[in-house]
Amino acid sequence: MLRIKKITLIILIIYMGVFGASCSKGEDISAVQEVDLSDEAQTVEAFGVIRVDESKDVIIDFPAIVQEVIAKEGQHLGLYDPILTLDLSDYENLLQDKRNELNIARLEYQRADASLKGLSIENIDIQLNKLESDLELAKKSYEQTLEEHNSIEKLYEMGAVSKENLQQSKLGLDEALNKVEAIEYERQLVTSRYERELDQLSTRQDTERYQVSIQNERIQQIENNLATLEDKVNKPYFLDSQIVSEFENAAIYDIAYSSGSMTDATQKAFTIVNLDSLIVEADVVEEFISDVKVGASVRIVPIADRTREYTGSVIYISKMAFTKNGETEVPIRISIDNMDSFLLPNYNVDIYIDVK
């Protein structure tokens, strides 16, 4: 309802006189005076409800058993007042299992890393160097034997040596050549074997590196999970094995658990509200919303006790209008300056907004 205390007063003064009983003709005398009272204070009146601006739905998202529900529905709570007592045995066992899993993962990582570092093949550099040296000597020996054989051939043609000597020289030359070819073949075998072992080593190293990478990622994942699990009790409303109030002036409602209940991560445990954050939510008819400004002074009168009066100011005006009961209204929010313990959430109030 809107009341605008803007009154234009019209005072009509009519003087009628009848002069003498014998007067045959009467004369009316009238005067009209207009008084503009538009400078008087103007207010917009609306209906509001006390709401809580700060509240929290508490969820216990780890396994535990509710030993005792200490707080009652709607109870007033101070800072650190207990609400629930929990048996944390299941949670602590879960933590220990996760720590054991982390230790195992670290051991497996160390094993995979040691296996990777231990992969190697026989160093054949010495063997190859010896074969190269032997091959060089064999080639020199072959060249020397070849020169000697050529000389013997010439002597044979001249009749200076026998055919038997020529044949023996040819056998020596063949043996020298065979030695060169044998050493060369052995060098090729050693080189081929080394190349195959290198390929096999590279494959094994890739496999072990993959295992090391997997173990490292697993360790990081377990560490993150453990940190997340440990952080579940690092909340302002957890104190030892109890859930407590984190507000100095609070109330609690919608308590979902009872003694002996198992916690459920999908279920709200309770709702706690900060009673120091009370505000008024109201709706102003669209016809008068243009007169309401942010910062405007407001008088607040609770229906529960109309002898009480509170002051506040408009702190928010919605940018959307809504239709309720066939009437278009705009939501607003109002602060409360002189709040006390009498005002409670969901109390109905009348508000008077100064729009002068």
Side-chain angles (χ1 to χ4, degrees), residues 248-283:
E248 292 185 359
N249 184 22
I252 185 173
Y253 66 95
D254 283 352
I255 302 175
Y257 291 131
S258 58
S259 298
S261 299
M262 287 289 298
T263 58
D264 184 349
T266 65
Q267 175 179 317
K268 176 182 71 174
F270 57 83
T271 297
I272 188 168
V273 297
N274 182 3
L275 295 178
D276 289 331
S277 68
L278 297 183
I279 60 169
V280 178
E281 291 185 351
D283 297 315

Side-chain angles (χ1 to χ4, degrees), residues 11 27 29 41 55 58 66 80 88 103 116 128 135 143 166 175 182 219 231-232 254 293 303 305 317 344:
I11 302 176
E27 181 178 355
I29 302 175
S55 65
V58 175
V66 178
Y80 301 134
L88 300 177
N103 290 334
L116 174 61
L128 284 175
L135 181 60
E143 291 172 356
L166 178 62
E175 288 177 1
I219 288 173
D231 194 54
K232 289 183 182 298
D254 283 352
K293 308 298 180 185
I303 304 299
D305 185 353
I317 300 175
L344 297 178

Side-chain angles (χ1 to χ4, degrees), residues 31-291:
V32 177
Q33 181 179 6
E34 181 177 295
V35 179
D36 188 359
L37 300 180
S38 60
D39 288 337
E40 268 194 35
Q42 302 173 16
T43 60
V44 170
E45 181 179 339
F47 175 79
V49 180
I50 302 295
R51 300 296 189 195
V52 177
D53 196 38
E54 183 179 9
S55 65
K56 178 175 291 186
D57 292 337
V58 175
I59 296 175
I60 307 172
D61 57 348
F62 59 84
I65 298 176
V66 178
Q67 283 187 325
E68 183 181 6
V69 180
I70 301 173
K72 307 300 181 186
E73 191 79 14
Q75 180 178 333
H76 177 268
L77 298 170
L79 186 63
Y80 301 134
D81 282 349
I83 300 171
L84 302 174
T85 300
L86 300 175
D87 179 354
L88 300 177
S89 300
D90 291 343
Y91 170 70
E92 290 169 353
N93 289 337
L94 184 60
L95 282 177
Q96 189 58 50
D97 290 344
K98 191 61 67 176
R99 294 187 183 108
N100 292 339
E101 184 181 355
L102 179 59
N103 290 334
I104 292 173
R106 285 172 174 167
L107 289 174
E108 291 179 349
Y109 172 82
Q110 292 173 4
R111 180 203 60 76
D113 188 55
S115 177
L116 174 61
K117 293 177 179 178
L119 288 176
S120 64
I121 58 175
E122 181 183 357
N123 192 335
I124 64 170
D125 288 343
I126 296 176
Q127 186 178 1
L128 284 175
N129 290 337
K130 183 178 183 304
L131 287 173
E132 290 287 349
S133 178
D134 291 345
L135 181 60
E136 185 177 354
L137 291 174
K139 286 181 178 180
K140 288 181 178 180
S141 177
Y142 171 76
E143 291 172 356
Q144 184 179 356
T145 303
L146 179 60
E147 290 178 1
E148 292 177 353
H149 177 71
N150 290 336
S151 298
I152 292 175
E153 274 189 334
K154 290 179 181 179
L155 292 173
Y156 173 74
E157 291 173 356
M158 295 171 57
V161 296
S162 64
K163 186 177 181 179
E164 182 180 355
N165 288 336
L166 178 62
Q167 290 175 344
Q168 288 177 351
S169 175
K170 182 67 172 64
L171 289 174
L173 181 62
D174 291 342
E175 288 177 1
L177 180 60
N178 290 337
K179 187 173 183 179
V180 170
E181 292 175 346
I183 295 174
E184 178 67 31
Y185 180 69
E186 184 178 359
R187 189 186 67 166
Q188 291 177 358
L189 287 178
V190 171
T191 301
S192 298
R193 176 170 58 84
Y194 183 66
E195 290 175 351
R196 287 196 303 272
E197 289 180 353
L198 279 178
D199 289 341
Q200 293 172 358
L201 175 64
S202 178
T203 301
R204 292 198 302 270
Q205 285 176 331
D206 289 343
T207 301
E208 291 299 329
R209 286 193 191 97
Y210 179 68
Q211 292 299 321
V212 169
S213 176
I214 288 177
Q215 292 303 324
N216 187 50
E217 290 181 4
R218 183 184 175 203
I219 288 173
Q220 292 179 359
Q221 183 180 28
I222 297 173
E223 287 177 340
N224 291 337
N225 291 341
L226 180 59
T228 300
L229 192 59
E230 290 174 336
D231 194 54
K232 289 183 182 298
V233 295
N234 294 328
K235 302 290 191 302
Y237 49 83
F238 276 105
L239 185 61
D240 297 328
S241 61
Q242 288 186 328
I243 299 182
V244 300
S245 168
E246 60 181 298
F247 302 123
E248 292 185 359
N249 184 22
I252 185 173
Y253 66 95
D254 283 352
I255 302 175
Y257 291 131
S258 58
S259 298
S261 299
M262 287 289 298
T263 58
D264 184 349
T266 65
Q267 175 179 317
K268 176 182 71 174
F270 57 83
T271 297
I272 188 168
V273 297
N274 182 3
L275 295 178
D276 289 331
S277 68
L278 297 183
I279 60 169
V280 178
E281 291 185 351
D283 297 315
V284 176
V285 177
E286 66 173 328
E287 180 181 356
F288 310 109
I289 193 62
S290 61
D291 295 322

